[in-house]
Amino acid sequence: MMQDIVLHAFAAAIQPMNLIFIAFGIFLGIVIGALPGLGSVTAMAVLIPLTFYMSPLTAIAFLVGVNKGGTSGGAVPAILLNSPGTPESAATAWDGYPMARRGEAFRALKFALFSSVTGDTISDLLLIVLVVPFAAFALQFGPVEYTAVLLFSFALIAGIAGDSPLKSGMAIFIGIFLATIGLDPVSSTPRFTFGRIELYDGLSLAALAIGALALSSVVMQISDLATKRVVDDFAANQAVDKRDRKLPAREFFSYWRTLTRGALIGSLVGMLPGLGVTLASFMSYAAAKRSSKNRDTFGQGEPEGIIATESANSAVVGSNLIPTIALGIPGNIAAALLIGALMMHGVVPGPFMLQMHGELIYGLFASMIVANLLHLLIGRAGLSLWIQFARVPRRIILPLVLMLCIFGIYLPSQSLWDVGVMLAFAGMGILFTRVGISVVCTVIGFLLGEMFETSLRQSLLLYQVDGLSILASPVAGIFLLLTIMIVARAIWRGSRKKASTA
Amino acid sequence: MTARSVVKRFQPGMPALTSILLLVGALAGLYVADTQIQVFGFGNQWPDARTVPMAVLGLLAVAAALRLVLNLNSAEMPVGPARSQVRVAIVVLSSAAALWSMTYFGFLPGAVFVAFVSTLALGERRPVFVIGLPLVVAFAVYYGGRYGLNVPLP
């Protein structure tokens, strides 16, 4: 019986029309994802109208292909330009760009692509096997558990990003504060809008992320070149000999622990609605750094950093469908767009979806596995094209990236206000980077700020009578304990460092 | 330790100035919070719309002050001579001017202007890269956005 379902699913997945649209989706996803500011979400939003004329399976498989391609495409500008197009690729730039600078751009891109496909495949297999029990586990997460997980994530990220936990803490506070601008999520009261109607919806995440991460990096590179602090030798450094570009399978799979860990972290974070791709990539990076023998070389071009980040952020793509399919709750914006597309084709996501549209869902699972294979082939072929960009001098590439950043921010909102906000955050990003405050922490604080505030306020309302009742949740208790341990360790290490330098 | 070296130590550099900026910003935020966030109370409704922003601003002020105190005696990164930043200022100002002008003249001239000025500021002098490439990319983005993605640019 099960064999029949699997065979039918794969037969549907390898229909020529299905394969063509999956491949087309991956290609478009990679290209759009590689442009600063245009991540997989924008790609999916722009391409949804194309699916009106497709069958439900082809339409969903096409959008999943776009999502897969878009997520891995973000690594290209992160590695080649040190300007991550999306926040989830920020950690890829930490090790990818130094590798590219020393002439290993091709190998760094290969590490990113292979890790992305492997993480995605592991996550897809987990989705197929564990969709029902995982969904039941995700249902146990209430506001208290979310608050505890978010506090733990803030502590963890403050520990790995930047050169001092205090500075990273400041950056996270700024991010959370920026997320509170606009209408209050509970009472819809305007906050810090100063009468500007544009601020009622809050600040745009894309404008903040692209301004603070990508544009600031572009302007700093322009600054370094203009003031002759750095020589324009990036292109000249790249390996010409094919032997220097090789990445043997043995070398890649020697990092199997980091790869598996990243995929599992990505899958676990992805199945909890709202936590998102960025958190998964940073948690995986932190875990890899802690357990690696080469932890001192992280941030200086360590392949493990790329593997941890890319395997985790791609693993979210598959596992995000667990709450989407089993509960009808979108795990992130990309999953919400998928729900929209499913509903447009007459499929209502939720607990009865597997029962009522089993053929479509198993067809989708099979399409996802096939899509990974196509992703590997298309992505590998595309590397030769991307590497040509690495050969163009920076003084020609950077002004064009500047132009694309403006276009990327204008595209989703069609508002010059967001472009202005992006320029302002670029200034903040430059200042913070120059003084060693982690911009990534600000972006993550902003990204998770609204969810943190909502779950914190709900938890405080739930437990304001008896604060100790919070310990009734073992999950929350464990995460709070881990948070306290991380903060205590950071303070202890900071005081020891201070004492040793005194 | 001479008196001269003590005076040198207390010269604020970029990190200290940034901490002061953040401290002042956080305190200003706390000061205007009451007027900027109106809470319509119906009995005891803590936590309300002010709770998290004020808590975060308070924590930011404490952290910025703590950083100032902790790093009082450490070596500071100098702000640097203004002359070396002229080219960067040109790029930043041209971006801001292009952004302002896009409302009146459209995306195409603004984007070409930004790329043209930045490429020149970076020392590139070959006409094909200074004028040709920005024109080609700006046209591709403009018409690709308008007809490919159905997004009319200004």
Side-chain angles (χ1 to χ4, degrees):
Chain A
M1 182 68 184
M2 194 64 201
Q3 273 178 331
D4 286 348
I5 294 173
V6 172
L7 284 175
H8 271 111
F10 273 97
I14 57 169
Q15 292 286 322
M17 195 52 82
N18 208 36
L19 287 179
I20 289 170
F21 275 104
I22 293 174
F24 186 48
I26 292 169
F27 170 75
L28 287 176
I30 294 176
V31 171
I32 297 178
L35 298 173
L38 303 180
S40 54
V41 172
T42 313
M44 285 174 76
V46 167
L47 295 170
I48 275 185
L50 281 185
T51 66
F52 289 153
Y53 310 102
M54 300 175 193
S55 72
L57 177 60
T58 309
I60 304 306
F62 169 72
L63 289 176
V64 168
V66 173
N67 196 10
K68 284 175 190 286
T71 308
S72 76
V76 175
I79 291 170
L80 295 183
L81 298 165
N82 195 25
S83 55
T86 46
E88 65 258 26
S89 316
T92 307
W94 287 350
D95 287 290
Y97 187 65
M99 265 186 92
R101 270 206 70 82
R102 64 175 186 239
E104 293 183 66
F106 205 77
R107 272 168 52 82
L109 286 168
K110 274 184 175 174
F111 268 117
L113 174 70
F114 298 162
S115 311
S116 186
V117 173
T118 314
D120 206 350
T121 309
I122 293 173
S123 160
D124 290 348
L125 292 174
L126 282 177
L127 164 73
I128 295 165
V129 178
L130 298 170
V131 64
V132 178
F134 266 34
F137 173 66
L139 264 184
Q140 291 180 356
F141 267 65
V144 181
E145 288 78 11
Y146 270 111
T147 309
V149 169
L150 289 171
L151 276 173
F152 168 73
S153 311
F154 288 143
L156 197 68
I157 290 159
I160 56 155
D163 53 6
S164 126
L166 183 62
K167 282 195 224 171
S168 301
M170 278 162 61
I172 288 175
F173 296 145
I174 294 167
I176 299 174
F177 169 70
L178 292 173
T180 66
I181 294 173
L183 293 180
D184 171 38
V186 179
S187 62
S188 294
T189 307
R191 298 188 295 189
F192 296 105
T193 54
F194 296 93
R196 296 288 312 198
I197 200 87
E198 295 92 341
L199 283 174
Y200 274 58
D201 271 345
L203 296 164
S204 149
L205 168 66
L208 171 69
I210 299 307
L213 293 172
L215 193 58
S216 66
S217 168
V218 168
V219 174
M220 278 188 294
Q221 287 182 61
I222 288 177
S223 156
D224 288 343
L225 288 175
T227 54
K228 315 277 186 210
R229 270 199 291 257
V230 171
V231 186
D232 194 358
D233 60 353
F234 187 93
N237 276 351
Q238 297 312 313
V240 179
D241 196 333
K242 279 193 172 177
R243 278 174 302 183
D244 296 333
R245 297 197 207 158
K246 275 192 175 165
L247 175 59
R250 180 180 282 187
E251 184 186 349
F252 176 68
F253 284 109
S254 68
Y255 298 107
W256 67 271
R257 280 197 187 88
T258 311
L259 199 59
T260 316
R261 194 191 306 111
L264 291 177
I265 289 174
S267 302
L268 202 65
V269 170
M271 73 175 210
L272 297 172
L275 291 184
V277 190
T278 310
L279 184 65
S281 52
F282 281 95
M283 284 179 98
S284 173
Y285 189 90
K289 191 176 177 182
R290 267 166 210 278
S291 54
S292 173
K293 278 182 278 182
N294 308 327
R295 71 185 70 168
D296 295 335
T297 56
F298 269 68
Q300 296 163 23
E302 174 58 48
E304 265 189 277
I306 303 175
I307 293 170
T309 311
E310 287 300 313
S311 59
N313 67 27
S314 291
V316 175
V317 175
S319 65
N320 241 310
L321 291 180
I322 292 173
T324 311
I325 289 173
L327 308 171
I329 301 169
N332 61 10
I333 304 168
L337 289 173
L338 268 183
I339 284 191
L342 279 168
M343 290 174 83
M344 277 191 290
H345 285 90
V347 181
V348 181
F352 298 108
M353 193 176 163
L354 270 171
Q355 219 173 343
M356 291 172 69
H357 303 281
E359 204 172 318
L360 171 69
I361 297 304
Y362 284 103
L364 173 64
F365 291 164
S367 298
M368 289 170 80
I369 300 290
V370 173
N372 289 336
L373 194 65
L374 291 173
H375 186 183
L376 186 65
L377 296 175
I378 295 169
R380 177 62 189 83
L383 291 188
S384 309
L385 175 70
W386 295 125
I387 206 66
Q388 300 308 319
F389 286 99
R391 297 190 183 289
V392 182
R394 310 266 99 178
R395 62 180 185 276
I396 293 166
I397 282 279
L398 293 176
L400 301 180
V401 177
L402 195 67
M403 192 199 294
L404 287 172
C405 284
I406 294 175
F407 171 69
I409 291 304
Y410 183 81
L411 181 67
S413 62
Q414 298 182 32
S415 135
L416 284 174
W417 165 266
D418 281 349
V419 182
V421 171
M422 174 185 73
L423 288 179
F425 282 120
M428 184 195 81
I430 292 167
L431 180 68
F432 279 15
T433 309
R434 292 276 191 236
V435 299
I437 295 176
S438 165
V439 184
V440 169
C441 286
T442 303
V443 175
I444 289 180
F446 181 81
L447 193 69
L448 300 176
E450 187 179 332
M451 190 182 187
F452 174 68
E453 180 180 7
T454 310
S455 50
L456 176 70
R457 281 168 68 177
Q458 285 171 344
S459 307
L460 289 171
L461 283 169
L462 274 171
Y463 294 109
Q464 63 183 332
V465 182
D466 177 11
L468 284 177
S469 307
I470 204 165
L471 296 176
S473 163
V475 176
I478 290 169
F479 276 107
L480 284 176
L481 195 68
L482 286 171
T483 308
I484 294 166
M485 280 165 63
I486 290 175
V487 173
R489 188 164 175 258
I491 294 170
W492 178 70
R493 284 178 72 172
S495 59
R496 215 175 58 158
K497 204 169 147 188
K498 196 101 184 160
S500 66
T501 51
Chain B
M1 189 183 291
T2 63
R4 195 178 166 186
S5 68
V6 172
V7 171
K8 202 175 178 183
R9 270 187 174 180
F10 286 103
Q11 273 185 342
M14 266 175 78
L17 287 174
T18 310
S19 295
I20 292 168
L21 191 73
L22 289 174
L23 177 62
V24 171
L27 293 175
L30 284 170
Y31 181 72
V32 299
D34 274 354
T35 50
Q36 281 300 313
I37 309 172
Q38 277 195 310
V39 177
F40 303 100
F42 300 98
N44 181 21
Q45 282 204 322
W46 189 86
D48 57 32
R50 278 187 202 137
T51 310
V52 171
M54 289 183 77
V56 169
L57 284 172
L59 285 169
L60 179 61
V62 170
L66 194 64
R67 217 181 93 67
L68 264 176
V69 173
L70 286 175
N71 294 324
L72 210 56
N73 288 328
S74 59
E76 285 275 0
M77 182 203 299
V79 179
R83 276 179 62 189
S84 66
Q85 305 295 335
V86 169
R87 284 180 178 188
V88 184
I90 290 172
V91 172
V92 173
L93 288 176
S94 69
S95 304
L99 179 63
W100 173 80
S101 71
M102 274 179 194
T103 325
Y104 305 100
F105 305 110
F107 174 84
L108 212 50
V112 172
F113 175 72
V114 170
F116 171 72
V117 174
S118 323
T119 317
L120 270 181
L122 285 174
E124 181 60 53
R125 293 291 178 268
R126 286 171 288 181
V128 68
F129 292 120
V130 176
I131 301 167
L133 199 59
L135 269 174
V136 169
V137 175
F139 269 94
V141 167
Y142 185 75
Y143 287 104
R146 170 161 285 197
Y147 298 109
L149 302 174
N150 206 20
V151 177
L153 287 156

